[in-house]
């Protein structure tokens, strides 16, 4: 018997193939059951959301929740809280590792372990998170249905019983965090954007009309577009030029550090620094810009109050100052990765420096340019700190990110805030899609 035959037989023994996964009829039945189960799951979830709680369901409880745990934890001494958190975290991780290691093994005992884990863990997880509107019966039904569907799909998996169970356990923590921290808030925000400021009355598209007709909302949209167009363009142009000119120059490391230093400063810190730079007052000027103006006999200028565009450009300078170093470092590394043979071949063909840069360097760093442009553009679209620190959104300097928080915290207008968040999301979405498609094309080329 050959070595390859032995290896195939060992793999077959370790990962048995179930008859359901190999049988087309079995796969069809599995898909049908899962589809029906998913429909029932969605129906139960909708009933849970739109059905008010009853007194019977309100009295149903297991007497413990994560909220009560954290309340009890808050009453402990700080030195006791740390080991308690570590112990609980260790227990949860240990349970997951035990299930991942032992549950996929063949045997009746491991079969029962998987069955219990599929049905009990979802129920406990839902109950510990406190049932929505105290509708415990709906919560238990949803949890049991989820567990049953997982166990059924796992039992009929092509790779053998236990494989899908193991896969779900690996993916569950990240998936739950993604759902709770990203997907659910996004859906909830879109839903609230169609209601009034209290979130009680449906108003349709009135909040979106407000965004594009109210002076505050309109200036926020215009300024955000201005930030998204100028900030990444200027940052990348300056960073790329700097990276090209100091590439392999004497003192390159020191020159790069000087430009990169603002990246380490927070937007709040950068805003405070530049606010002093723009400061205007009678008498002695502490602001560098007005000190120069007064030194030539001019009067102090309130730079951050000159509207409608100049004050926004002054804020943009702060953002560009913090992002140029980031662009320079990434693009400098990409330039060094361009094969020297291509540059030498282009030089032998009689091209000048600009032609080599345009036809060799830029195509060679195209992927890095896309990443840097996308990253800085997204950062400019959601900027908040610089505007909040330097102007507070006054004098038509507000942007979508700032106005979204301002409407929610200052005016308690959840409808306007949600509509602004959705508009901001729509601005960011094309960039994310384009970046994802570009990366997918690069993977295909590789």
């Amino acid at each position: 018997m050959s070595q390859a035959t032995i290896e195939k037989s060992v793999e077959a023994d370790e990962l048995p193939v179930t008859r359901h996964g190999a049988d087309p009829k079995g796969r069809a039945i599995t898909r049908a059951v899962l589809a029906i189960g998913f429909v029932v799951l969605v129906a139960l979830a909708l009933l849970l959301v739109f059905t008010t709680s009853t007194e019977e369901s309100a009295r149903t409880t297991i007497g413990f929740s994560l909220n009560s745990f954290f309340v009890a934890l808050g009453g402990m001494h700080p030195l006791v809280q740390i080991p308690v958190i570590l112990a609980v975290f260790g227990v949860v991780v240990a349970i997951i590792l035990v299930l991942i290691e032992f549950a996929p093994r063949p045997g009746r005992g491991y079969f029962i372990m998987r069955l219990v884990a599929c049905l009990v863990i979802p129920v406990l997880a839902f109950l510990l998170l406190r049932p929505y509107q105290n509708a415990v019966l709906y919560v238990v039904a949803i949890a049991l249905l989820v567990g049953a569907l997982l166990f059924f799909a796992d039992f009929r998996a092509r790779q053998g019983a236990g494989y899908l169970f193991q896969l779900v356990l690996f993916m569950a923590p990240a998936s739950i965090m993604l759902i709770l921290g990203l997907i659910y808030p996004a859906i909830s925000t879109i839903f609230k954007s169609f209601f009034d400021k209290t979130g009680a009355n449906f108003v349709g598209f009135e909040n979106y009309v407000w965004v594009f007709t109210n002076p505050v909302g309109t200036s926020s949209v215009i300024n955000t577009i201005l930030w998204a167009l100028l900030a990444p363009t200027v940052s990348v142009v300056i960073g790329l030029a700097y990276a090209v000119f100091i590439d392999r120059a004497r003192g390159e490391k020191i020159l790069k550090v000087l430009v990169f230093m603002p990246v380490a400063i927070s937007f709040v810190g950068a805003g405070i620094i530049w606010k002093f730079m723009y400061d205007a007052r009678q008498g002695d000027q502490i602001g560098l810009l007005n000190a120069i103006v007064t030194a030539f006999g001019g009067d102090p200028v309130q730079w951050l109050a000159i509207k409608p565009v100049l004050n926004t450009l002054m804020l943009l300078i702060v953002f560009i100052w913090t992002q140029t170093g980031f662009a320079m470092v990434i693009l400098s590394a990409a330039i060094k990765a361009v094969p020297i043979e291509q540059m030498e071949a282009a030089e032998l063909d009689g091209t000048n420096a600009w032609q080599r840069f345009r036809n060799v360097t830029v195509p060679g760093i195209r992927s890095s340019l896309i990443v840097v442009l996308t990253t800085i553009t997204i950062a400019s679209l959601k900027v908040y700190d610089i505007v909040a620190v330097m102007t507070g959104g006054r004098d038509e300097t507000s942007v979508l990110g700032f106005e979204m928080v301002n409407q929610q915290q200052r005016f308690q207008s959840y409808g306007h805030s949600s509509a602004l968040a959705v508009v901001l999301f729509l601005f960011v979405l094309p960039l994310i899609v384009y970046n994802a498609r570009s990366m997918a094309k690069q993977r295909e080329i590789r």
Side-chain angles (χ1 to χ4, degrees):
M1 183 181 294
S2 65
Q3 182 67 23
T5 306
I6 296 175
E7 291 178 356
K8 289 182 179 179
S9 63
V10 171
E11 292 177 359
D13 293 336
E14 292 179 352
L15 196 62
V17 178
T18 61
R19 60 183 181 276
H20 306 290
D23 180 19
K25 184 178 179 181
R27 290 199 301 270
I29 294 174
T30 302
R31 286 194 294 266
V33 172
L34 292 177
I36 295 172
F38 179 76
V39 171
V40 175
L41 188 63
V42 171
L44 287 174
L46 292 175
L47 288 174
L48 174 63
V49 173
F50 294 106
T51 303
T52 57
S53 59
T54 61
E55 296 200 1
E56 290 77 9
S57 64
R59 289 196 296 266
T60 306
T61 178
I62 61 173
F64 181 75
S65 67
L66 287 180
N67 183 61
S68 61
F69 167 73
F70 286 112
V71 170
L73 186 67
M76 300 179 184
H77 191 276
L79 295 179
V80 179
Q81 293 176 0
I82 298 175
V84 170
I85 288 292
L86 292 177
V88 173
F89 179 76
V91 169
V92 174
V93 172
I95 293 174
I96 293 176
L97 291 178
V98 167
L99 292 174
I100 291 174
E101 177 63 27
F102 293 100
R105 298 183 181 182
R108 178 173 297 178
Y110 300 110
F111 174 86
I112 296 174
M113 182 188 297
R114 288 195 298 275
L115 178 62
V116 171
C118 286
L119 299 179
V120 173
I121 291 179
V123 174
L124 291 178
F126 272 108
L127 294 179
L128 286 175
L129 290 172
R130 301 179 71 181
Y132 184 87
Q133 295 182 339
N134 290 323
V136 177
L137 295 178
Y138 283 119
V139 169
V140 172
I142 292 174
L144 290 176
L145 181 58
V146 171
L149 290 176
L150 170 62
F151 182 79
F152 177 78
D154 176 63
F155 181 72
R156 299 170 70 92
R158 177 189 296 274
Q159 290 85 351
Y163 174 81
L164 184 60
F165 177 83
Q166 190 179 44
L167 180 64
V168 169
L169 282 177
F170 269 118
M171 296 178 60
S175 300
I176 291 172
M177 295 300 293
L178 184 65
I179 292 172
L180 295 180
L182 183 62
I183 297 177
Y184 172 74
I187 296 175
S188 177
T189 300
I190 296 173
F191 184 76
K192 289 181 179 178
S193 68
F194 295 101
F195 287 78
D196 64 356
K197 63 183 300 182
T198 63
N201 302 314
F202 181 80
V203 296
F205 288 92
E206 286 187 12
N207 293 321
Y208 293 97
V209 173
W210 176 89
V211 171
F212 292 100
T213 58
N214 185 276
V216 175
T218 304
S219 64
S220 299
V221 173
I222 294 173
N223 289 335
T224 300
I225 294 174
L226 193 64
W227 277 72
L229 293 176
L230 293 181
T233 304
V234 177
S235 298
V236 169
V237 168
I238 297 176
L240 180 58
Y242 197 86
V244 171
F245 287 132
I246 68 170
D247 187 34
R248 300 183 180 88
R250 181 179 298 179
E252 176 187 358
K253 293 181 179 179
I254 298 176
L255 295 174
K256 284 184 177 180
V257 168
L258 293 176
V259 177
F260 188 76
M261 284 176 62
V263 180
I265 303 174
S266 67
F267 285 154
V268 173
I272 293 173
I273 293 171
W274 281 85
K275 192 173 183 180
F276 281 116
M277 297 277 286
Y278 296 144
D279 183 67
R281 62 181 63 181
Q282 298 297 326
D284 296 335
Q285 294 298 321
I286 63 172
L288 177 61
L289 196 56
N290 274 313
I292 297 173
V293 172
T294 55
F296 285 93
D299 295 326
V301 179
Q302 296 286 348
W303 299 102
L304 297 179
I306 303 176
K307 54 186 181 181
V309 177
L310 185 58
N311 50 6
T312 299
L313 295 178
M314 291 297 177
L315 300 182
L316 267 167
I317 291 174
V318 183
F319 183 82
I320 292 169
W321 181 66
T322 61
Q323 298 299 307
T324 299
F326 166 75
M328 180 269 299
V329 169
I330 302 299
L331 297 178
S332 177
I335 289 172
K336 290 183 181 297
V338 176
I340 191 64
E341 295 82 4
Q342 295 181 6
M343 301 295 292
E344 292 175 350
E347 189 174 359
L348 290 174
D349 289 340
T351 58
N352 54 37
W354 169 249
Q355 290 173 331
R356 290 195 297 273
F357 171 76
R358 187 182 61 185
N359 298 319
V360 179
T361 303
V362 172
I365 64 173
R366 182 177 180 274
S367 59
S368 298
L369 277 172
I370 292 174
V371 171
V372 173
L373 281 169
T374 305
T375 303
I376 298 179
T377 303
I378 293 175
S380 66
L381 286 172
K382 63 181 184 180
V383 69
Y384 169 83
D385 314 67
I386 294 175
V387 177
V389 170
M390 299 188 70
T391 65
R394 294 182 296 274
D395 298 312
E396 300 180 10
T397 58
S398 183
V399 292
L400 285 175
F402 174 82
E403 196 58 37
M404 175 184 66
V405 178
N406 191 44
Q407 289 293 324
Q408 192 273 325
Q409 292 187 348
R410 183 179 177 185
F411 301 107
Q412 299 295 306
S413 180
Y414 296 95
H416 291 160
S417 177
S418 299
L420 288 165
V422 173
V423 172
L424 182 59
F425 172 73
L426 294 177
F427 282 174
V428 175
L429 186 60
L431 298 171
I432 298 175
V433 172
Y434 175 75
N435 200 26
R437 293 183 62 181
S438 299
M439 295 176 66
K441 290 180 180 179
Q442 291 174 13
R443 283 195 295 266
E444 291 176 0
I445 294 173
R446 293 174 185 173

